[in-house]
Amino acid sequence: MRVFTCTSVQLLALLNREVAHTCVLRRYLHDGRLRVSNMFQPMSTRQGKVSGKGKELTCKSQRLMLQTGLIRQAHPGAFHLMGPALRAVEKLVRLVDQEMGAIGGQKVEMPTLTPGELWKATDRWDTMGTELFKLQDRHKADYCLGPTHEEAVTEIVAAQSNLSYKQLPIKLYQITRKFRDERRPRFGLLRGREFLMKDLYTFDTSEDTARETYEGVSQAYSRVFNRLGLDYVKVEADPGDIGGSLSHEYHLAAEVGEDQLLVCAKCSFGANIEAIAEDQSSCPSCSGALSLTQGIEVGHTFYLGTKYSAVFNASFLNNKGQSQLCEMGCYGLGMTRILAAALEVLSLADQIRWPGVIAPYQVYIIPPKKGSKEEAAAQLAEDLYDIIPQELPHLKGEILLDNRSHMTIGKRLKDANVLGYPYVIVVGKQALEEEQRFELIHQTGQQTQTHHVSREELLQLLSDCVTI
């Protein structure tokens, strides 16, 4: 080790020089650009297959999500969400938050671990059967991992002893992990034992106002699916274990759907065969012919009446100062199921297609291969990465740079097609020509459009991109 003697001015100059060098290195390593080479997303697109036993990989969304490294199975019925998949889910959460906020929903969070005594009070401790995950703590007290929270939320409202009719309706919702001990989990995120769900619970003063709330939530659900660009079917449903006198399901039509639906082609009527006679052939609303189709359930609404409020005495003081039971409703959206179901119905056989607004990233830039004739355009690609969010601030954080320059543009373009990002920009030899052009590939649903455009035209096309 060598020791130097220097003045304070010399020491300060030396430190400034070292700090400057460190900043340059840091900017090089962490300059804010999202590079594909730095992403942890184990893909097996070139092997053309993923691991699975027997007939486990039985649907398109499961195969594609495993193949592209969006998910990885942790154990039967439970999956790790890798970074891009989690980004998509987080965007879906923001979209649902917006629509729930628009109808006056207040976001809360309730524990997954729920006291068994609450479930025993409504008899669902027994009627839910083996699908309910049950456990005991060290004191032998019973608990369950909540698949839904009617008991818990009703107990919360019941504890408010001086609740006034002026405070109603109350609309409390959460987006949390739920658990169900499925006998045979399958289809990846479509039917698992652990999943993310939005559950909303409403408390009203009367049946009339509760039905108004029901209609308001139903409209919010329609807006959710419309914003996602998904064709959905709303059908009458059997209330099942949750109960109540009015119930509807929201489905995406798909061959792997486990529900059978009767749908009228002439009017908007539809019903799950569990809620209507299976052999019924004519529409009860317009007498039109009913057709049978399969659907993936992605949402459910229930008007509960006083089924739960009566058990826990969730009441309020009406305008006469008298105690009256709350009229309740509950409403679910399967968040991770919506993601998988959307990929199931939108994707091609070997290429993912996203609902545009929740794609993990909106823009995917491919620079030229290192050592190629157009290598000089690599800097243009990085410049473009910086220019796009400057001109279009809503795309900040929405751009990926495929810097794997040891690969040909063709191989990286194949990956981009499989991953299904909405806008793919190829910066090749045309970017070096006097009349500069970029190749923009727009991937939506079953269609792929290719444009050769100037930088200004490129920015104009990207301005149509909707983010959340």
Side-chain angles (χ1 to χ4, degrees):
M1 184 172 76
R2 301 175 65 185
V3 178
F4 296 91
T5 301
C6 61
T7 66
S8 59
V9 175
Q10 291 171 323
L11 176 61
L12 184 60
L14 178 63
L15 289 175
N16 284 338
R17 188 167 70 247
E18 291 301 317
V19 168
H21 289 166
T22 302
C23 288
V24 169
L25 180 61
R26 185 171 297 148
R27 282 198 299 272
Y28 176 76
L29 294 176
H30 307 287
D31 60 3
R33 295 191 182 109
L34 297 170
R35 293 179 167 86
V36 171
S37 64
N38 295 334
M39 293 188 64
F40 183 73
Q41 186 179 357
M43 294 174 59
S44 56
T45 56
R46 290 179 188 81
Q47 286 83 350
K49 60 181 180 179
V50 289
S51 60
K53 297 179 180 178
K55 298 181 180 179
E56 288 180 6
L57 304 181
T58 51
C59 71
K60 178 170 53 179
S61 58
Q62 180 185 16
R63 175 176 53 79
L64 285 173
M65 295 184 83
L66 287 168
Q67 182 180 10
T68 58
L70 291 172
I71 61 174
R72 180 177 174 82
Q73 183 168 303
H75 51 81
F79 291 83
H80 303 291
L81 296 181
M82 297 295 102
L86 183 58
R87 276 181 63 94
V89 170
E90 288 172 342
K91 289 182 178 184
L92 179 57
V93 168
R94 290 199 293 271
L95 189 154
V96 171
D97 279 339
Q98 290 176 1
E99 294 300 338
M100 290 299 99
I103 61 172
Q106 302 176 60
K107 196 171 188 178
V108 298
E109 187 170 309
M110 291 174 275
T112 297
L113 194 63
T114 307
E117 61 187 25
L118 295 180
W119 288 74
K120 292 174 183 177
T122 59
D123 294 328
R124 291 211 296 170
W125 183 262
D126 295 318
T127 59
M128 282 288 289
T130 56
E131 288 192 355
L132 190 64
F133 272 109
K134 300 177 181 179
L135 64 154
Q136 286 188 334
D137 67 8
R138 66 184 65 195
H139 306 294
K140 304 302 180 183
D142 288 328
Y143 290 87
C144 69
L145 300 180
T148 182
H149 279 73
E150 283 79 13
E151 286 82 359
V153 74
T154 309
E155 192 272 337
I156 292 173
V157 173
Q160 314 307 307
S161 57
N162 295 318
L163 192 64
S164 167
Y165 71 96
K166 296 179 180 180
Q167 296 172 267
L168 302 181
I170 294 173
K171 302 170 185 176
L172 304 178
Y173 81 97
Q174 62 177 352
I175 300 178
T176 56
R177 289 195 170 272
K178 304 295 191 295
F179 297 84
R180 185 177 292 122
D181 193 2
E182 291 282 356
R183 182 179 64 86
R184 184 173 165 247
R186 55 198 179 278
F187 303 143
L189 297 183
L190 292 180
R191 181 165 292 281
R193 299 199 297 174
E194 180 178 351
F195 49 93
L196 191 69
M197 188 173 85
K198 188 283 303 176
D199 42 325
L200 165 71
Y201 306 92
T202 61
F203 299 81
D204 275 276
T205 58
S206 68
E207 180 176 345
D208 287 343
T209 58
R211 288 181 178 271
E212 289 176 6
T213 296
Y214 188 97
E215 180 58 28
V217 178
S218 297
Q219 292 175 6
Y221 276 22
S222 294
R223 290 194 297 271
V224 167
F225 295 118
N226 288 336
R227 290 177 66 183
L228 291 171
L230 298 172
D231 292 327
Y232 68 94
V233 181
K234 179 182 176 182
V235 300
E236 295 179 6
D238 181 357
D241 292 324
I242 290 179
S245 58
L246 176 65
S247 178
H248 288 88
E249 294 170 345
Y250 294 76
H251 288 261
L252 302 187
E255 291 182 1
V256 299
E258 297 186 271
D259 287 278
Q260 291 188 304
L261 315 174
L262 290 170
V263 180
C264 178
K266 291 181 62 177
C267 70
S268 59
F269 175 81
N272 193 311
I273 61 170
E274 295 176 351
I276 194 172
E278 185 174 353
D279 59 351
Q280 183 158 345
S281 58
S282 61
C283 176
S285 297
C286 71
S287 299
L290 293 177
S291 60
L292 186 65
T293 185
Q294 291 173 273
I296 303 171
E297 182 189 341
V298 287
H300 209 144
T301 57
F302 301 86
Y303 166 57
L304 300 173
T306 60
K307 174 178 177 175
Y308 294 90
S309 56
V311 173
F312 297 100
N313 194 30
S315 59
F316 64 97
L317 297 178
N318 62 24
N319 58 0
K320 297 179 181 180
Q322 300 170 332
S323 181
Q324 185 174 328
L325 290 175
C326 294
E327 296 281 336
M328 290 179 58
C330 68
Y331 312 83
L333 284 176
M335 305 296 281
T336 42
R337 182 180 283 190
I338 288 174
L339 175 63
L343 297 190
E344 184 69 33
V345 300
L346 295 178
S347 296
L348 307 179
D350 57 354
Q351 296 180 4
I352 285 176
R353 291 295 180 267
W354 301 89
V357 72
I358 64 167
Y361 298 95
Q362 295 293 333
V363 182
Y364 193 96
I365 300 177
I366 303 177
K369 181 182 180 182
K370 187 175 182 179
S372 66
K373 294 179 181 179
E374 55 266 22
E375 182 180 5
Q379 185 58 50
L380 295 175
E382 296 203 357
D383 293 344
L384 196 61
Y385 185 104
D386 298 331
I387 290 168
I388 292 173
Q390 290 172 9
E391 297 293 328
L392 304 171
H394 70 291
L395 291 179
K396 184 178 181 180
E398 292 288 342
I399 308 170
L400 269 180
L401 182 65
D402 193 339
N403 63 324
R404 299 174 297 170
S405 58
H406 63 284
M407 296 169 58
T408 65
I409 286 179
K411 288 183 178 179
R412 284 176 287 165
L413 186 56
K414 181 180 179 182
D415 282 353
N417 291 338
V418 171
L419 292 167
Y421 292 123
Y423 294 91
V424 179
I425 303 171
V426 178
V427 183
K429 61 182 180 181
Q430 287 184 313
L432 296 173
E433 295 176 356
E434 184 176 350
E435 190 176 344
Q436 188 182 62
R437 287 288 184 266
F438 300 95
E439 184 179 351
L440 176 65
I441 302 166
H442 187 198
Q443 304 182 134
T444 57
Q446 304 295 311
Q447 296 183 339
T448 298
Q449 297 177 320
T450 302
H451 309 271
H452 295 273
V453 294
S454 66
R455 193 178 80 178
E456 291 71 24
E457 292 168 332
L458 174 67
L459 293 172
Q460 182 60 43
L461 289 168
L462 291 179
S463 67
D464 296 332
C465 179
V466 178
T467 60
I468 187 168

